[in-house]
Amino acid sequence: MSSSYVLLLILLYTFTTSSVGAQAAGVEKGFYKKSCPQAEQTVQSIVWDRVASNGALPAKFLRMFFHDCFVRGCDGSVLIDSTANNTAEKDATPNKSLAGFDVIDDVKTALEKACPQTVSCADIVALAARDSVSFQFKKPIWEVQTGRRDGTTSQASEANANIPSPSSDFTTLVNDFANKGLDVKDLVVLSGAHTIGVGHCNAFSKRLYNFTGKGDADPSLNATYAAFLRTQCKSLSDNTTTVPMDPGSSTDFDNHYFANLKLGQGLFQSDAALLTDGRSTKVVNKLLDAGDFLDAFKNSIRNMGEVGVLTGSSGEIRKNCRVVNS
Ligand code: HEM
Ligand SMILES: *[C@@H]1O[C@H](CO)[C@@H](O)[C@H](O)[C@H]1NC(C)=O
Ligand SMILES: *[C@@H]1O[C@H](CO)[C@@H](O)[C@H](O)[C@H]1NC(C)=O
Ligand SMILES: *[C@@H]1O[C@H](CO)[C@@H](O)[C@H](O)[C@H]1NC(C)=O
Ligand SMILES: *[C@@H]1O[C@H](CO)[C@@H](O)[C@H](O)[C@H]1NC(C)=O
Ligand SMILES: *[C@@H]1O[C@H](CO)[C@@H](O)[C@H](O)[C@H]1NC(C)=O
């Protein structure tokens, strides 16, 4: 073997392994380019149409994607309906305010007509999250890799065990994310998703009324903001009222969440927790720059979208996103 041939082999090996490394999860850009060329355009046009008349939807889809990925990986299991024998993820306690399932159904119906059993429900969730949030920019603001396949199991108990609680402290959050292969930077950046959407009072009212069990407020919560929140959430048991998580800009996908955090206006303990550690505080400070936030979000949401994905011949392509194929 000539030495230049050996060199070529080494170069080839390095090139292939590093490009495999870049797509470790087995998802790729434009997976449906040949099998269903209109797939991504179909998702975008249906989602944009619905978001145009319902500004709450981007937050619903972004949270749906998060919940899907944190339970059994991004496998569309969040979409499965409960049956007589099984209580599914969407009926677990942390499901509160999950919505948008009807839009996913519309997209799936259109795609089954165009390309039967080709586009997974898991990819539809990933694309709907991107497209709904991107509507305000009139162009996609992050790239979605595709090729996920659908799981066949969805259990409420697994949602309860894997979805972080809003009363989590920093260590718990770091562990919850590390269990999904996500690091401190991903935790902070992805928490920036709370720049859009709303939270129910009972997810944080302990911070207003009974933080340590002595009828006190959370000292890390801005006192002015706490007083305002008490006018919205009138008691510890209020589980119906919602408040915007990023007041004043709760439908704009921007980095304002981090400015709020610095003012002690993070809504949940899990938000405030990001300022209780030096490493995460450093990331928060960096994300006060709008451009840094969008760049970092592109990266971290791609990482989240690779969590536990099924590819190749694993799983299935569901015909109806709510029901496992029979
Ligand atoms: C760090 C751990 C996290 C915790 C503890 C957490 C907790 C929560 C809670 C309790 C709510 C309010 C639900 C309600 O009361 O209706 C919420 C809303 C939301 N979360 Fe998170 N979350 C976390 C991370 C994330 C991530 C990683 C994303 C997406 C990338 C995300 C996206 C959202 C969105 C968009 C909403 C608003 C939903 C709506 O308006 O209906 N969250 N989150
Ligand atoms: C529920 O369980 C019963 C008995 O195990 C079985 O006969 C039935 O087919 C199951 N139904 C569904 C919807 O899975
Ligand atoms: C959430 O779970 C409850 C039961 O705990 C159920 O009644 C409700 O319909 C579920 N919400 C959604 C959107 O699936
Ligand atoms: C506040 O918390 C304490 C300790 O958990 C509890 O005994 C008390 O009943 C709570 N107060 C209210 C108003 O729920
Ligand atoms: C809200 O609280 C009431 C009273 O405790 C309870 O009956 C109801 O099931 C709760 N609703 C939700 C959505 O958790
Ligand atoms: C509390 O929030 C107000 C704005 O609502 C802000 O002016 C003030 O500086 C904040 N206080 C602290 C300690 O961050």
Side-chain angles (χ1 to χ4, degrees), residues 256-268:
H256 196 244
Y257 166 85
F258 297 100
N260 264 337
L261 267 190
K262 298 290 280 188
L263 292 172
Q265 299 188 148
L267 192 57
F268 305 132

Side-chain angles (χ1 to χ4, degrees), residues 48-74:
W48 279 16
D49 191 54
R50 298 290 285 267
V51 171
S53 61
N54 181 358
L57 274 178
K60 304 301 176 196
F61 285 124
L62 194 51
R63 183 155 182 258
M64 182 192 288
F65 187 35
F66 166 51
H67 281 215
D68 191 29
C69 295
F70 265 58
V71 188
R72 289 190 167 258
C74 318

Side-chain angles (χ1 to χ4, degrees), residues 227-247:
F228 164 74
L229 290 172
R230 281 189 291 267
T231 69
Q232 307 295 299
C233 304
K234 299 234 165 56
S235 77
L236 265 173
S237 58
D238 181 347
N239 61 5
T240 52
T241 309
T242 58
V243 300
M245 294 193 289
D246 182 5

Side-chain angles (χ1 to χ4, degrees), residues 197-269:
V198 298
H200 282 78
C201 290
N202 58 319
F204 58 87
S205 50
K206 240 186 117 194
R207 303 184 78 201
L208 308 177
Y209 292 112
N210 205 10
F211 189 58
T212 66
K214 293 178 189 148
D216 52 342
D218 181 345
S220 74
L221 185 62
N222 184 309
T224 313
Y225 189 47
F228 164 74
L229 290 172
R230 281 189 291 267
T231 69
Q232 307 295 299
C233 304
K234 299 234 165 56
S235 77
L236 265 173
S237 58
D238 181 347
N239 61 5
T240 52
T241 309
T242 58
V243 300
M245 294 193 289
D246 182 5
S249 120
S250 73
T251 56
D252 284 332
F253 191 81
D254 57 20
N255 67 334
H256 196 244
Y257 166 85
F258 297 100
N260 264 337
L261 267 190
K262 298 290 280 188
L263 292 172
Q265 299 188 148
L267 192 57
F268 305 132
Q269 259 174 280

Side-chain angles (χ1 to χ4, degrees), residues 1 21 25 88 91 94 112 114 138 140 150 182 204-205 221 250 265 272 285 292 295:
M1 228 187 280
D91 290 325
E112 283 301 297
K138 298 289 174 279
D150 297 324
L182 300 171
F204 58 87
S205 50
L221 185 62
S250 73
Q265 299 188 148
N285 290 339
D292 283 358
D295 280 347

Side-chain angles (χ1 to χ4, degrees), residues 59-60 62-63 66 96-97 164-166 173 177 187 190-191 193-194 196-200 203 245 268 270 297 301 304:
K60 304 301 176 196
L62 194 51
R63 183 155 182 258
F66 166 51
K96 246 180 313 172
S97 81
S165 150
L173 292 170
F177 275 64
L187 164 65
L190 291 169
S191 293
H194 290 172
I196 53 172
V198 298
H200 282 78
M245 294 193 289
F268 305 132
S270 60
F297 199 84
I301 194 105
M304 190 180 90

Side-chain angles (χ1 to χ4, degrees), residues 10 14-15 38 66 74 93 133 136 168 170 177 189 196 214 216 218 235 238 254 269-270 277 279 296 302 304 308 311:
I10 291 171
T14 317
F15 183 74
Q38 65 271 61
F66 166 51
C74 318
T93 319
V133 170
Q136 71 174 104
S168 307
F170 181 73
F177 275 64
V189 171
I196 53 172
K214 293 178 189 148
D216 52 342
D218 181 345
S235 77
D238 181 347
D254 57 20
Q269 259 174 280
S270 60
D277 172 89
R279 285 172 298 164
R302 189 193 61 235
M304 190 180 90
T311 55

